[in-house]
Every structure is written in structure tokens, then in C-alpha cells.
Amino acid sequence: MVFFCRMDFSQGNLFGYIEDLQELTIIERPVRRSLKTPEEIERLTVDEELNDIERAVYLLSSGQDIQGTSVVANLPVLMRQNPAETLRRVLPKIREVLHVAGVEMQLTAAVSFLTVLQDESVSIHTYSHSFLHIILQNLEHRDAGVSNAWLETLLAVIEALPKETIRHEILNPLVSKAQISQTLQSRLVSCKIMGKLAYKFEAHIVKREILPLVKSLCQDVEYEVRTCMCRQLEHIAQGIGTELTKTVVLPELVELARDEGSSVRLAAFETLVNLLDMFDADDRSQTVLPLVKSFCEKSFKADESILVSLSFHLGKLCNGLYGIFTPEQHLRFLEFYKKLSTLGLQQENGHNDNQLQLQTLEQEKKYISVRKNCAYNFPAMIVFVDPKNFHLELYSIFFCLCHDPEVPVRYTMAISFYEVAKLLNSGVYTIHKELVTLLQDESLEVLDALVGHLPEILELMTTNGGENSGSESKLLSIPDLIPALTTAEQRAATSLKWRTHEKLLQKYACLPHIISSDQIYYRFLHRMLTIILTNNVLPVQKAAARTLCVYLRYNRKQEQRHEVIQKLIEQLGQGKSYWNRLRFLDTCEFIMELFSKSFFCKYFFLPVLELTHDPVANVRMKLCYLLPKVKSTLKIPSDKHLLQQLELCIRKLLCQEKDKDVLTIVKRTVLELDRMDISLDAEQLEKEKQQSEGRSTNVNDKIFEKKRRDNKTSSVLAKSMTLSVSGSSSGTSAGKEDKKSKLVRSQSFSTQALHPKYSNIDKCPNKSSATGYTSSVSGMGKSCMLSFTDDTFRTRSTGNSGNATFPSSSSLTTSRNSFNSADQKNNGNKESQSRKMSIKNRKSNS
């Protein structure tokens, strides 16, 4: 909606408008200044006849910095297209330019060199010969960001280089680069390179050539170098093995843990925690545990810098040292965790404000991080105390963390809630209230984190819900669950975070396994229908539609089912808004996915086809896309009448559709429908088969009796004819079975009939042509049904009805020839004797 207001052109306001216009002019000035002058455009212009290599060389030689940076960024493409010329002409120019290049080009070059390595445009030998020296030259760039970018490229290159190349090009120069006389940046780079080299060489080479440098850097005069080298000790230990780690690395860590620099002590502590698995029980009890106890004691007194890291690693630390704890030490670490979990919340526990020092903003952020880390480690602490002792030892802390005033803490608890529920197993009923609390949390971030595993959480709580876990009382197992779920959905619906709302609706599809059908019907099902009708976000509407279909799927009360189906058809399928009718088609798609074919055909097939008359082209187009799925629900012959309706709708769309886009989709859909197979109803086929066999037998018997009375032939001829009839009957039955087996493919829309007609079906110019096309389109559908009926019910027919069940003369001849030669001789003798007797009788009579 646009609002119009009258402008006040009084003197005071006029000056205000002029000032606003002047501000706009000032804003636009830099835009004008940024435009290039003709001279600048001339300098930036390059001859179009130059190829890629020549253009790159020209721009690197005489172009501006931005053009040179563009060439460097395009280096991987040039290497893929023409590696030989790029290495010969372009790369030397890049090497020259990088000596005086700015930060942007340096960063671009580091990324491009790494991309060339990953693309494998050249062999590793060629890469090391051409690119490695450039990388090493730029490692000690004065800008720390550029130096780190080249270092990352070098570390990736080390992974692919052969050992000999690493030894000569990297390791040997590293001895001099790591000396105390070198720059700080050089020594820092040396620390990180040695951490990577420990993986590339055998332990004895590392011990002889790398560990002496490591010890030297661990004792460097600069705390930055000691910190950097301390963090690389983890990689070095994993490269040299357990024995050398115990004799070389552990003593260095112990010394660094007592360093005067807080960052060095922090690095030593984190490295010790990460290497716990490499130390045996003696090392843990005699060396690591005393250091950890010292860290914990100093963290609250004089070294708060380690507090955040300690809270983050506490769960891993407690479980790593679990086997060597005495009961007293076990209790001490548990109490330490409890203290960290409520750090900064003492004022809420009744302490006097005057007894506490004023907390700075930085301290408050640190305390929030500590409590967040405690929430992260809560599942590990359950393992530490044993789930059986959860209610006694940790439930109070769990309650505090779920009700923490800071969102990041509650968010972390919501993420770890599922892990907590799995660990508690049969004791999960103790945290029902906290689940309801988090569902009703005021922050949607917390709700979003909890909803991720909501179906699994509810399943655990209903199956392990203590005394009330039976199926008859599953509603009682989680008190206040339904109000909490409805409140959560309503809060998500009124927010602007539609993705959270969509996710929530998708997860609510699990409720039929959790609560009763009546509760779903009265509290959730109608709400889903309301969301479909009123919400403006398409993903949310689709999520609600699918969840509604799931609820309908598990509802066994016919009255409720029929009511919901009626509302879907009336309010969506026949709704006034085309948007609702589109959502009806989405809902029908979900119904075809979740329900049986017969259910869809019974309730939704015809309402869907009614939308072929929809006045909105988008609805008709969406229907056309859905028609192949609609046809796949049909079974022949029980759904023949629905197939006829489908064919009729297609013919109407082809002949009456005026929208060219819809007509194009209709034609494409016709071809797709033609390629589809229709399912056969096995039970119905068997019934019709039995009926047809019964009719065929009765007809044959009657005709045979009639022929016996009318035809007075010899006994031999009658006998042979009887055999022929029985043989032809069995042949006819076998032929019918063969035809039935071939009637799987639906040929309702014959491709051969459609193709030559497509040029004339756009607008159906006259009635005769439309009728002709209709008959050609529907010919296959009719032939499918008629041939199916005929092959099922009729016998082989000839020119007259009297001979319907008798084979032709050729079949009689075939049946006669089927006798063996001996029978023919015997029959011949008998016939000659009979003829002789008849001649004698005639003579005597005469």
C-alpha cells in the first residue's frame, strides 16, 4: 500500500529539503569520480586479436595491477588449456611481478598455485620444478596474512611431494631458517613446517634431523614461537610414535606447562589433553594428573585465561583420566565441573552484591563461554558419574543449564538434549520437565536446536517413560507435552523465521507414534489445515500439508476421516483462491505417496480431474504435471471408468486449451502417459477368467449336443470331430491366456496416432477435425478395454454363428493328419470293409 502525504513548502521545511538534496549530491559524487576517463580506458584496452597466452603476457608486462591480478586468478584455466606455453611464457612473468606485487595479487597467487596443484594439470615433478621455488620465496612476506596464505599452500604441496624433494628443497633450508638469528616470522613458519614434516619421514629421521630443531624452538626467547611449537607437538608425537613421545615430547610439555607465558601454558594444557591416549597409566597418574590439578587450582586464582579452555576440555579430560582417579579425586573434579556450570550466577543464589567484585563486560562474556562449554560437556559428565547416579549428582546442574539466563547456554543444552536422553535410557523420565521448558523457550534459536531430534527424543520418552510408559497411558508419560507443542508451533508461526516453522511442522509428523489419535485430531490436525489455508509461505504450507496427510493416514475413525477429506475437497480443491487449489494438488501428491492407490482413486481422483476446467492457467498446468502420477494409481479392469474420465479430460485439454504454455505441457504429458504401464488387478482378472471359462464350456456343450442331433454321420467321423472340438477348445483357452499376458501396457494414447496429428491439433479448427483427433487419441484406450473384454469373454468367431465353436476345414485336416500311420491303415481297412458290406446290401435289395 502506498501512502501519500502533502509536502510542507514553508521556509523552514524548504531549507530541510535543500539540505537533503545536497546530501544526496554528496553521496553521488564518488560514483562520478570512479568513472574512467578516456585516457584510462585507452590504457586498459587490449588488442582483441591476441590469444589467451599473449594477452596474459601483455597484461603482466604493461597492464595495471588489477589486470595483472586477473591474469594470476586465471592461471589455473591457462594451465588446463595450454600448460606448456603457460609454464614457458606466463609463469616467469608472474614470478617477476610478485616481487613488487601488492597484498591482493599475492593472496590471489597463493590460491591459484594451490588450485593448479589440486587440478593436477601437470605432474608433481613439473610442479615442484616450476612452482615450489616461487612459493618458498614468498613465505616470509612482511604481511602476516600473505605469509600465512603461502604457508597453507606449501603445507598442501608437502603432502604430494616425494621425500627426496622435501629433504633437499624444504628440510635442509629449514635448519638455517629455524635459528635464533632468523626473523620471528621465519621461526614461526619453521614451527608449522616441522609439524607437517613429522608425517612424511620415518621415526629415526625425525629423531635425528627434526627433533633437535623442535627442542630449540620450544626454548625460543619469544613466547609466540614457544606457543606455536607447543601446538605442533601433537602432530610431531603422532608422527614419531609412543616411545619417542614419552621420552622426548612429554618432558617438553611438562616444561612448557610451567612457562611464564599464559598462552604457552594454555597450548601445553590443550596438547596434553589431546595426547592422553598416547600416555600409559603411569604417565597419566604421575605426570599428567598433577599438571591438570595445578591448572584447575590456578584457573580461579591467577590464571583465568585458561578457564574457557579448561571448561571446554573437561569432559574429555575426566573420562581420559577416569581409571586413575581415587574416589576423592573423582568427587573433586565433579565439584569443579559444578562450579564452572554456575560461574557468574552467584548473585542469583543469594550472595551479597558488596561481597562480589564488579564484573567487567569481558569477564561476563568469558563466564558465558564457560557455562556454554559446560553444557557442551554435559553428556560426557553423565558418563563420568554413571547414568544411574544422574538424578543425585547432576540433575541440579542440568536444571540450571536448561534455565540459564543466556541463550547460547540454553541453545547448547537443546542441541545435546538428545544425547542426554539416550544416555539416561530408562531414566529419561527425570528430564520431562526440562523438555517442556525448552519447548516453551522464548528464543526460537533454542527451539530450532531442540526440534532437530524431537521425534527421537519423544520416542525415547514414551518407550522408557517409567511407570507410565505403556501404550494405553502414553499421554501421561510426558505431562504438559501437548500444550508445549502447540505453544511452540504458534510462536514459530508468528515469527519471521519461517524455516524454523517449516522444520517444526515436518517433525510434528511423528506425533501419531507419541500421542493418541483423538488428541491429534482435536489439537493438531485442524491446525495444519488452517496453516495450509492462511499461511503465506509455500514451504510452510507444504510441510503442513504433508503432516496433515500423515495424521489422516493414522486416523482410524471413519467419521473423522470423511470430515477431513470433505474439507480438503471443499476448502482447497473447490476453494475460491487459486492458491488453495494449487495446495490441493500438492496435498493430493502427498496422499498418493502415503496412501494406497485405491484410497486415492476412491476419494480424490475425480476432484483432481475437475481442475481441468479451472479458470487459472497455473492450476491447469500444475494438474498436467501431476497427471502421470494420477494415472499410475489406476488398476485395470476395476478402474476402467476412471481411465475413461482421464482420457476425456485429456481430449478436452487438447481441443479446448487456449493458453499456449499449458497446451505445450499437455502435449508433453500425452506422450508421457502413452509410455506408461497400467497395473493389472490380479483378483479381478482371476474372477473374469473363471467366468469366461465357465461360459465357454457351457456354450461348447450346447452346440456339441445340437450337432450330434442334427448331423447323422458315421461313428468314425463323429468321433474325430469330437476330438477336434476338444483340441480347439484347449487351443482357444491357451490363446486367451497368451493375449491376457500381453495386455499390460496401456495404449490409451497411441504414439503412432499422435505424431502425424501434432501439427493440426493446436486449436482444433473445425468440429470434424477435432472429432477425428479425439477418435485417434482415444482409439487405443477403447481398443485396450474392448480387446480386453473380447479376449476375456468371447470365443473365436467366424462368418456365421453356427460354426462359432467349430474349427475350420484346415483344422479338421490337421486333426486328422495328427493320427499315426498305423491308425490310418487300420481305419482304412475298416472303411473298405464297411463299403463292401454296403454294396452287397444294395445289390440284394435291388
Side-chain angles (χ1 to χ4, degrees), residues 565-614:
I565 292 171
Q566 193 67 21
K567 286 185 177 180
L568 288 175
I569 295 173
E570 292 178 356
Q571 299 182 22
L572 290 180
Q574 301 170 0
K576 295 181 179 180
S577 171
Y578 86 98
W579 190 254
N580 289 342
R581 300 195 295 276
L582 288 174
R583 300 293 73 78
F584 176 71
L585 293 176
D586 290 331
T587 305
C588 288
E589 196 167 359
F590 293 133
I591 288 174
M592 286 186 279
E593 173 190 345
L594 297 171
F595 288 80
S596 65
K597 296 180 179 180
S598 59
F599 179 88
F600 176 80
C601 291
K602 180 178 180 181
Y603 295 106
F604 293 96
F605 192 94
L606 294 178
V608 167
L609 293 186
E610 288 178 3
L611 293 179
T612 54
H613 308 290
D614 197 278

Side-chain angles (χ1 to χ4, degrees), residues 222-389:
E222 299 292 340
Y223 75 92
E224 295 99 329
V225 179
R226 299 196 302 273
T227 302
C228 183
M229 193 66 253
C230 185
R231 295 195 178 277
Q232 297 302 318
L233 288 178
E234 177 184 351
H235 305 294
I236 293 172
Q238 293 172 353
I240 62 178
T242 305
E243 293 299 324
L244 284 175
T245 298
K246 181 177 180 180
T247 58
V248 179
V249 175
L250 185 56
E252 294 295 332
L253 281 174
V254 172
E255 185 175 350
L256 292 169
R258 301 188 178 98
D259 195 277
E260 59 183 8
S262 60
S263 62
V264 181
R265 296 194 300 271
L266 179 60
F269 169 74
E270 293 178 352
T271 304
L272 274 172
V273 175
N274 292 332
L275 292 177
L276 274 178
D277 295 337
M278 299 190 69
F279 302 138
D280 56 25
D282 293 337
D283 293 331
R284 294 181 188 180
S285 60
Q286 298 175 11
T287 306
V288 178
L289 183 57
L291 285 174
V292 173
K293 290 171 62 178
S294 175
F295 281 124
C296 295
E297 292 171 359
K298 293 180 180 179
S299 59
F300 281 105
K301 297 179 181 179
D303 197 3
E304 289 190 348
S305 61
I306 202 173
L307 203 56
V308 177
S309 178
L310 183 60
S311 62
F312 181 77
H313 292 92
L314 191 59
K316 184 176 182 180
L317 191 62
C318 289
N319 286 282
L321 299 175
Y322 181 82
I324 64 172
F325 278 149
T326 63
E328 182 182 354
Q329 292 169 340
H330 187 281
L331 182 60
R332 181 180 298 177
F333 273 87
L334 180 59
E335 292 299 324
F336 181 73
Y337 172 78
K338 292 180 179 179
K339 189 175 182 179
L340 292 178
S341 300
T342 57
L343 187 64
L345 302 178
Q346 289 86 351
Q347 293 180 354
E348 299 180 6
N349 295 331
H351 291 270
N352 191 348
D353 293 347
N354 298 328
Q355 297 176 356
L356 300 172
Q357 298 178 355
L358 283 177
Q359 298 177 354
T360 64
L361 183 60
E362 193 65 29
Q363 283 179 324
E364 184 64 27
K365 291 181 179 178
K366 186 181 298 183
Y367 293 160
I368 293 173
S369 298
V370 169
R371 299 200 303 273
K372 178 183 176 182
N373 290 338
C374 289
Y376 167 77
N377 280 300
F378 195 85
M381 296 308 296
I382 293 178
V383 176
F384 181 64
V385 302
D386 196 304
K388 296 178 182 178
N389 301 321

